[in-house]
Amino acid sequence: MPSNLKLAGDREIMTHHKPLAGRAGIVTGGALGIGGGTARRLAADGAEILIVDIVEDAAQRNAQRIIDAGGAASYMVGDVAQEDVAKSMVEKCVDEYGRLDILIQNAYGGSVGRDGSAVDVEPDAWRSGMDLLVGAQFLGAKYGVPAMEASGHPDTFEVPEWKGAGRRHGVPPKMEVGRIVNISSVHGLLQAPRALVYEAGKAAVVGLTRQMAVDFGPLGITVNAIAPGHIVTERGEAMWAELGNDAGFGLFERHYPVRRTGVPADIANAIAFFCSPDASFITGVVLPVDGGMSIQLQENIVMHTKDYIVANPDLRTHFDHGRLG
Ligand SMILES: NC(=O)c1ccc[n+]([C@@H]2O[C@H](COP(=O)([O-])OP(=O)(O)OC[C@H]3O[C@@H](n4cnc5c(N)ncnc54)[C@H](O)[C@@H]3O)[C@@H](O)[C@H]2O)c1
């Protein structure tokens, strides 16, 4: 296991530059893991954050951690696959912070009971999986986008003078009205066997993101997706401690050109960039944040991995326990 695992972008909230000052945002699944680290990072960047999660104590703890560090955060308990939750999280953000600028659609609860091919998966498991993986992101945008429009750009945004190169018309387009970041996965780009629901759902997030980018660009709202590689979260670390060993973790790391797996801060950094004013001309992209894992030719990796496995016959990973395909 890696030592001194830093789980999130825990920079000094009081001293850090604040490119998101004056903005308010929602992070779904913002209690733990990638969402937890993202909530802390966006708060460090100056945004007021509403955490929406099904685990109340962890949501409360993360909000308190942000407040203790000098940021602004609150939380709400709810399953974001439910329409009433999507609606009320947007209302709560607007009630509490007066606006909505940022929507990070990250929540997912794992694939227990949803594994298998199209032959294995029960129709109810398909529906509930798609409702959370894809449906929640649709609902978040359905209620979030009108609230972003109503909020307009933040007071801190200075509309540029609209003339000169590339600016042919007198009226500037709508700008800095909102940012949506949808969390896909390397599983949305590359398929793992016997994981129909997750793989199809994460691939659908790519299409949903591109569609939303086209639909909401004219409103001044950018929509991008991130495809994380293997990110060790609080839960992932506990799973590795239980089911894996150092040699097994090393096997994982060898599949990454940068020779490490990720931590939530790696994803939070990319999300913070998409939300920043610097990213205003970027929309509809799917950014792999995966240490290069998804650009390697697989057949070479297999041959390199063979030697490692032969040299480490006692390696254990979560795959050995039938957890994943
Ligand atoms: N960890 C990885 O290796 C990895 C890789 C690629 C993509 N992802 C994606 O990143 C996102 C976050 O994953 P993570 O690894 O941080 O998971 P995690 O389990 O550590 O955290 C997920 C958070 O979402 C919450 N949540 C679950 N279901 C919810 C629901 N219905 N409504 C509201 N909140 C809910 C959980 O309580 C938890 O706080 C997911 O979309 C996941 O598919 C993770």
Side-chain angles (χ1 to χ4, degrees):
M1 291 295 294
S3 57
N4 299 324
L5 189 67
K6 200 164 185 244
L7 278 169
D10 299 323
R11 23 192 99 194
E12 286 299 320
I13 288 185
M14 294 306 285
T15 56
H16 182 53
H17 169 57
K18 293 188 166 35
L20 302 181
R23 289 165 165 82
I26 294 170
V27 180
T28 74
L32 291 166
I34 292 171
T38 299
R40 295 193 289 279
R41 170 59 196 267
L42 296 180
D45 282 1
E48 299 175 299
I49 296 297
L50 173 64
I51 291 166
V52 184
D53 207 287
I54 48 175
V55 180
E56 178 160 19
D57 59 342
Q60 195 270 335
R61 270 200 309 276
N62 205 29
Q64 193 58 48
R65 186 169 162 185
I66 290 170
I67 292 163
D68 290 347
S74 53
Y75 73 94
M76 180 186 134
V77 177
D79 170 2
V80 291
Q82 306 299 321
E83 185 174 358
D84 60 329
V85 172
K87 192 164 179 280
S88 55
M89 73 183 185
V90 170
E91 286 167 0
K92 184 172 165 67
C93 187
V94 172
D95 278 355
E96 229 149 278
Y97 302 124
R99 53 187 303 108
L100 176 68
D101 305 274
I102 292 167
L103 176 60
I104 311 302
Q105 310 219 77
N106 159 82
Y108 186 62
S111 291
V112 177
R114 298 192 188 114
D115 283 339
S117 72
V119 173
D120 311 313
V121 170
E122 294 300 331
D124 278 352
W126 165 265
R127 280 190 284 268
S128 68
M130 286 298 151
D131 279 354
L132 182 52
L133 285 163
V134 194
Q137 297 190 357
F138 147 65
L139 291 170
K142 179 173 180 56
Y143 293 102
V145 165
M148 287 176 180
E149 270 196 283
S151 308
H153 62 69
D155 292 343
T156 47
F157 176 65
E158 285 172 33
V159 181
E161 211 179 317
W162 205 249
K163 62 182 186 187
R167 297 171 177 179
R168 305 242 174 101
H169 316 286
V171 182
K174 290 187 180 151
M175 282 182 277
E176 294 299 332
V177 172
R179 295 279 198 272
I180 299 176
V181 182
N182 296 325
I183 304 305
S184 176
S185 171
V186 288
H187 291 262
L189 309 174
L190 304 166
Q191 311 309 124
R194 300 194 63 260
L196 173 82
V197 176
Y198 192 69
E199 314 294 299
K202 288 301 191 185
V205 168
V206 173
L208 180 106
T209 298
R210 292 163 61 105
Q211 184 64 41
M212 288 180 182
V214 168
D215 289 336
F216 304 139
L219 307 179
I221 298 169
T222 69
V223 188
N224 293 293
I226 289 176
H230 187 85
I231 305 299
V232 180
T233 60
E234 296 92 332
R235 285 173 171 167
E237 190 169 27
M239 181 184 72
W240 270 101
E242 185 197 345
L243 302 176
N245 62 11
D246 284 355
F249 200 77
L251 177 72
F252 251 72
E253 291 171 327
R254 290 177 73 83
H255 289 76
Y256 288 75
V258 300
R259 291 294 186 268
R260 70 171 177 90
T261 53
V263 291
D266 291 313
I267 306 306
N269 290 339
I271 292 173
F273 170 65
F274 276 144
C275 292
S276 77
D278 290 346
S280 66
F281 200 51
I282 303 174
T283 196
V285 307
V286 180
L287 179 68
V289 182
D290 67 349
M293 191 271 272
S294 63
I295 48 96
Q296 279 200 109
L297 194 62
Q298 302 299 300
E299 58 194 15
N300 293 59
I301 299 174
V302 171
M303 296 317 292
H304 290 141
T305 304
K306 174 182 67 83
D307 298 336
Y308 182 86
I309 294 172
V310 169
N312 292 279
D314 298 328
L315 72 81
R316 283 190 298 122
T317 79
H318 48 313
F319 284 89
D320 298 321
H321 300 261
R323 279 288 179 96
L324 302 172

